[in-house]
Amino acid sequence: QGWLARHLLAKNTARSDFSAVSDGTGMTTSLEGLGGTLSFSNLAGLGGALYGRFADAITAMHPGDSPLEQSVQKAVRVAAAVREKANAIPVGPPNGNYTYGPLSNVLRPLAQVIKMDVGVELATADFLGWDHHEYLINAFPQQAAELGNALFAFNDDLGEHAKRVTVVMMTEFGRRVRENANNGTDHGA
């Protein structure tokens, strides 16, 4: 089990369907073992895709408690909750001044889901591209700028909701301080 999954499971409290969400680039290792992690990048459009007689028919076809049927039932519940909450968010551009960079594209839908107030306790998002084995001076400034700008826009977009959000950034490996022959850095401890 991943460390974030263990944290949520150890709380031993009733979790909502939205307790843990991820950016949808694959199962985040830290959430493995939790089961039922949602992709927040798809949540904003889910409410309009599964409703009314379609939702009723799908629910009627999957009344049991097998893992598949539970997943289908959860999808119908999640769609209904998203549809209800999305109507409360004002229509228009997001509040944040996002870039068109990769982290901004991940944080924009996450902010939307947080503002829906559906019970998100924990979210994970990957920002790849930090493996600078060569020409660090060409890549690092743009990466750092996107990190700073995206986090600023995310905080701005959240508005009052930012008071209940804690951002944690981490990397899975270290780097050597000394530059290598390719003007980059190699893996370190």
Side-chain angles (χ1 to χ4, degrees):
Q1 289 179 330
W3 68 279
L4 292 175
R6 289 193 309 271
H7 165 70
L8 285 177
L9 293 170
K11 288 176 59 177
N12 202 21
T13 57
R15 293 179 313 162
S16 76
D17 286 330
F18 298 89
S19 291
V21 295
S22 183
D23 65 359
T25 59
M27 172 51 78
T28 303
T29 305
S30 59
L31 291 174
E32 283 181 0
L34 185 63
T37 302
L38 295 170
S39 166
F40 62 75
S41 59
N42 298 323
L43 282 177
L46 181 62
L50 188 59
Y51 65 95
R53 60 188 170 124
F54 299 112
D56 294 341
I58 290 171
T59 301
M61 291 188 304
H62 299 88
D65 60 356
S66 73
L68 171 65
E69 291 170 316
Q70 288 178 355
S71 293
V72 170
Q73 294 162 16
K74 179 178 180 174
V76 172
R77 282 194 314 272
V78 164
V82 167
R83 190 172 49 259
E84 178 185 330
K85 295 289 187 170
N87 291 335
I89 297 174
V91 177
N95 296 329
N97 189 16
Y98 291 102
T99 70
Y100 293 100
L103 186 58
S104 288
N105 290 335
V106 167
L107 294 181
R108 184 181 294 115
L110 176 57
Q112 194 76 357
V113 170
I114 290 170
K115 290 187 289 187
M116 285 182 194
D117 199 22
V118 289
V120 173
E121 292 182 61
L122 196 141
T124 64
D126 286 332
F127 180 31
L128 307 175
W130 296 92
D131 202 4
H132 304 300
H133 285 283
E134 54 190 28
Y135 305 110
L136 180 66
I137 197 156
N138 293 341
F140 187 78
Q142 290 84 4
Q143 286 283 108
E146 170 64 7
L147 177 63
N149 291 333
L151 288 173
F152 182 84
F154 178 66
N155 186 70
D156 189 39
D157 192 2
L158 287 175
E160 285 295 311
H161 297 276
K163 292 178 182 175
R164 59 187 177 90
V165 174
T166 300
V167 175
V168 177
M169 295 182 297
M170 59 183 287
T171 183
E172 78 282 9
F173 62 84
R175 286 284 176 184
R176 295 180 187 267
V177 176
R178 181 176 289 166
E179 195 174 83
N180 63 25
N182 293 323
N183 301 96
T185 53
D186 295 322
H187 295 196

